[in-house]
Amino acid sequence: MKPQDLIIADIEIENSMADNHEQRTRRKNFYIRNGYQETDIFYTWHDVPYQILSYGGTVSQNEFISFWQHFEVK
């Protein structure tokens, strides 16, 4: 795969206290089963913690931040 073929997905972090804990676990298992890899990239949006998964290569924290800079409203 070429770098432009890299796919990233963000998923809610598994949390046994969350109302949708089972759904979060199934979602993560689905992605892992289908070739996605966990990354060390985590962020919080609207008080919900997320993790980035990647498919087709690795992504760094800096690359992830750079990706979002393309969407900044000026």
Side-chain angles (χ1 to χ4, degrees):
M1 285 188 142
K2 299 178 222 157
Q4 64 266 26
D5 296 332
L6 176 70
I7 301 170
I8 62 172
D10 57 351
I11 60 169
E12 296 169 305
I13 293 175
E14 294 175 276
N15 176 349
S16 61
M17 302 302 290
D19 291 338
N20 66 339
H21 172 69
E22 184 179 330
Q23 180 185 40
R24 291 179 186 200
T25 300
R26 284 194 326 261
R27 182 179 297 124
K28 183 175 183 178
N29 290 339
F30 169 82
Y31 279 109
I32 299 299
R33 200 172 48 248
N34 285 284
Y36 282 76
Q37 300 173 0
E38 292 183 69
T39 71
D40 294 330
I41 303 171
F42 298 89
Y43 70 95
T44 301
W45 188 63
H46 291 271
D47 297 323
V48 178
Y50 289 85
Q51 179 180 20
I52 298 298
L53 304 179
S54 67
Y55 180 85
T58 59
V59 61
S60 70
Q61 180 78 31
N62 288 338
E63 289 170 323
F64 180 67
I65 291 168
S66 177
F67 167 79
W68 285 110
Q69 290 174 347
H70 294 285
F71 299 101
E72 286 183 2
V73 177
K74 298 186 185 222

